[in-house]
Amino acid sequence: MSTSEAAVRERLTRALQERGEEIADRWVELQMEQALLDTDIGEAELREEADALIEALVPGLQTGAPMDRVVTSSPGLHEAVVGLSLRRARAGATPTATSLAVLALKEALLKAVQRDTRDAEELFASAVFMNRLLDVAGALSFETYVEGREEIIRRQSQQLMEQSTPVVRLWRQVLAVPLIGTLDTARTQVVMENLLQAIQDHEALVAIIDITGVPTVDTAVAQHLMQTVNAVRLMGADCVISGVRPSIAQTIAQLGIDLSTILTRATLADALAAAIKLIDGPGPDGDEGDGR
């Protein structure tokens, strides 16, 4: 580390230690003045973020790491930037606004340095150092935001998928899964997991997969259905597919898809009646037993 860089680090560290509250106040003020927030994050939360990041900057500057590695090599500083970005992501701020908010710290920090020196060369050296330091922080915040939002979207998609494929108890030991929309690989996995768990929890003997809400059945959809049926059978339960409309029956026949080993019915009511027979068998007069 050169003598000039060491002097800049010392100057910035002193400013952070002696004027930390002033820097935090100015940084919060800049974010609000420049409309860098498009969320309902309040001033108190902004100040909390500012205090955490400024506090983490001091030990970060004292690590002796190169200027462009201070943020990534200091665990506390790295965590402060990542935490700020994730909170902004959850609050719905844009990635650009998040990184610009971090970069606004440059102005607040440089203003504090100006209280100690008016020397042009010293101020220029400090500005260059801060640019290299906080540009990395801004890039990290952008990257963290994007990854955080992707994770949030994946989690929300998973929750929506689970909610869109509920397992319903229709009768004693009879469950049903009403499918609506396209049945792809990811959704098949969710359906299978939820259904198998429900079979175990309810000790079900029959599972009805209702495809009334599935617009089309092609080879891929049929394969997904077969996978689910096979998994249900491995759990010791029978499977009935309901909602086989004339158009779907014709498509299946034209595609040469063999569903002969699976019990199918046109409506959910017919499937339930068939399920009750599978459980209780026909009554003494050939009627369905009381399967409640």
Side-chain angles (χ1 to χ4, degrees):
M1 182 188 305
S2 65
T3 304
S4 60
E5 182 179 330
V8 171
R9 287 174 181 264
E10 184 179 350
R11 191 178 303 117
L12 293 177
T13 300
R14 185 168 60 251
L16 288 165
Q17 291 174 330
E18 296 177 358
R19 298 188 172 86
E21 292 188 7
E22 176 185 326
I23 295 171
D25 288 339
R26 180 55 182 161
W27 187 29
V28 170
E29 183 181 343
L30 284 170
Q31 292 181 73
M32 301 185 74
E33 284 180 356
Q34 298 173 13
L36 295 177
L37 298 172
D38 48 7
T39 69
D40 57 355
I41 296 177
E43 185 174 350
E45 188 172 352
L46 288 177
R47 180 55 192 264
E48 184 178 341
E49 290 178 346
D51 290 339
L53 188 55
I54 289 171
E55 182 179 352
L57 271 169
V58 174
L61 289 170
Q62 295 172 339
T63 60
M67 290 183 289
D68 53 359
R69 296 182 185 176
V70 169
V71 175
T72 55
S73 63
S74 175
L77 184 54
H78 184 276
E79 182 179 347
V81 175
V82 168
L84 180 151
S85 303
L86 290 177
R87 282 191 295 273
R88 301 292 175 94
R90 296 188 190 101
T94 65
T96 300
T98 301
S99 59
L100 287 176
V102 174
L103 295 177
L105 179 57
K106 293 180 183 180
E107 182 178 336
L109 187 52
L110 186 58
K111 184 176 181 180
V113 172
Q114 286 177 322
R115 298 290 186 88
D116 293 330
T117 180
R118 292 289 180 176
D119 184 271
E121 290 187 3
E122 291 181 354
L123 289 174
F124 178 76
S126 298
V128 170
F129 186 96
M130 283 187 292
N131 280 334
R132 295 182 65 180
L133 172 68
L134 294 177
D135 283 349
V136 174
L140 175 62
S141 69
F142 190 95
E143 179 183 352
T144 302
Y145 177 99
V146 172
E147 292 177 352
R149 287 298 294 173
E150 288 178 350
E151 177 59 29
I152 291 171
I153 291 171
R154 283 194 295 269
R155 188 163 59 248
Q156 291 176 340
S157 297
Q158 179 73 12
Q159 292 172 349
L160 288 173
M161 194 178 297
E162 290 176 354
Q163 292 174 0
S164 66
T165 54
V167 179
V168 183
R169 182 176 181 272
L170 295 182
W171 204 264
R172 177 180 58 85
Q173 297 180 308
V174 178
L175 303 175
V177 181
L179 300 179
I180 300 175
T182 303
L183 187 64
D184 55 17
T185 302
R187 193 173 183 203
T188 299
Q189 186 64 30
V190 173
V191 170
M192 194 180 300
E193 290 176 358
N194 291 348
L195 181 55
L196 296 183
Q197 185 62 49
I199 289 173
Q200 179 178 334
D201 294 343
H202 296 282
E203 298 181 349
L205 296 179
V206 181
I208 300 173
I209 301 176
D210 184 64
I211 61 172
T212 303
V214 177
T216 58
V217 174
D218 54 18
T219 304
V221 172
Q223 183 178 8
H224 293 319
L225 288 173
M226 289 298 297
Q227 290 174 351
T228 305
V229 170
N230 290 335
V232 168
R233 286 173 173 171
L234 287 174
M235 291 290 292
D238 288 316
C239 196
V240 182
I241 296 179
S242 65
V244 182
R245 306 182 299 278
S247 59
I248 288 182
Q250 185 177 0
T251 300
I252 291 175
Q254 290 174 346
L255 292 174
I257 299 171
D258 184 14
L259 297 182
S260 60
T261 60
I262 304 175
L263 185 61
T264 60
R265 291 292 184 269
T267 67
L268 182 58
D270 291 339
L272 177 58
I276 294 173
K277 285 183 178 180
L278 287 172
I279 294 175
D280 296 337
D285 298 323
D287 295 330
E288 300 162 3
D290 183 9
R292 298 189 183 184

